[in-house]
Structure formats: structure tokens, C-alpha cells
Amino acid sequence: MASKDRQPAGLLEAGKIGLHNLSPAPGSHRDRKRLGRGPGSGTGKTSGKGHKGIKARAGHHGPGGGKPHFEGGQMPMTRRIPKRGFTNPFREENQVVRLSDLALLPAGTEVTPLSLHEAGLIRANKGAAKLLANGEITHAVTVRGIKMSAGARQKIEAAGGRVEE
């Protein structure tokens, strides 16, 4: 498992660098410690954990910390604190689009979920778009098939635009 056959990056022949000829800088890569691979390895049998005891057990102490829930026998915080509320599994998240974002689109544009996606204002398959009245719109646009707040509807119609469901 030694890395003696690797060449340092500076000794490569002149040519393109690619995944086939990359190698780490000398001394930067150390092979992993292989635990439990026989008495000759130095970390066989008990894998460097000694005999019995809590520090020899899986999931306790050592690198990576202990069990996240365990507090030394004290009543854990997750059992001390009362539980309240629930998470609605049917909640629908809307992607927010501001009126000031529509100012980037040219006048007379038909605003649909597809046109918003093409303009980079929403992401595909991440929930429905909702138009909010943040900012101002100065030119007329036709909005079709997008949820919106009452304030956004008023501002669009005041600018000479149309809203179609």
C-alpha cells in the first residue's frame, strides 16, 4: 500500500494534465491505518483499543466523539424538554418572485412558470411560483397561471398589465 511508485507532479513529461497522470504532492498523502488485520500489523485483534472497558465499545469515546444522545447517565435533553407541535407532511413551499424581478423582462411579455424558469427566476420542480408585491413594475405584462398576492395583482393592473388565471 506504500506510495513509492508515484512520481512527483514536477517530474511529469510535458503534456496535458488529466485524471490519468495526477499524483499528490510528496509527503502529503499518508495511507490509512488498517485495523484488525493480524498481529504483525501492530493494530490487530483489539484494533488499538485495549481490552474491554467503555472506550473499547463501538460508538463511544475515541475519534468522532461519543453517542450524541448520551449525557453520562443524566436524563438526556431530548427527554427533559416537552414536545410541542408537528410537521405538516403536506406543506407546499412556494418559490418567491418579486415584482422588481419582472422589471428585468421586456414589456408585453407573457409571464408563465416556463418563462420564469427560462429567465432564471425560479427552479424547475421546486414548488409553485408566487408573485409578491415587493418592488415596482413600470411596464405592462400578462401574467398567466401563477399565484400572486393581492398587492401584486393591483400593481400589475395599475401598470396596464393583465392577470389571467
Side-chain angles (χ1 to χ4, degrees), residues 63-157:
K67 292 184 177 175
H69 179 75
F70 189 66
E71 297 183 19
Q74 169 177 294
M75 184 63 68
M77 187 176 286
T78 51
R79 290 182 62 193
R80 288 198 305 266
I81 296 173
K83 315 298 184 284
R84 281 184 53 85
F86 80 110
T87 301
N88 183 2
F90 303 107
R91 177 184 172 129
E92 292 181 10
E93 287 284 334
N94 291 317
Q95 297 186 72
V96 174
V97 181
R98 296 165 181 79
L99 273 183
S100 55
D101 295 337
L102 293 188
L104 304 173
L105 302 174
T109 305
E110 185 173 300
V111 179
T112 62
L114 182 63
S115 67
L116 289 176
H117 175 63
E118 289 170 353
L121 296 175
I122 63 171
R123 297 175 66 185
N125 305 322
K126 292 288 182 184
K130 183 163 184 179
L131 198 55
L132 299 183
N134 298 8
E136 298 296 325
I137 187 163
T138 54
H139 58 274
V141 292
T142 303
V143 181
R144 181 173 290 134
I146 297 175
K147 297 179 193 176
M148 67 183 68
S149 65
R153 180 184 295 267
Q154 289 174 352
K155 287 184 179 182
I156 289 170
E157 290 171 350

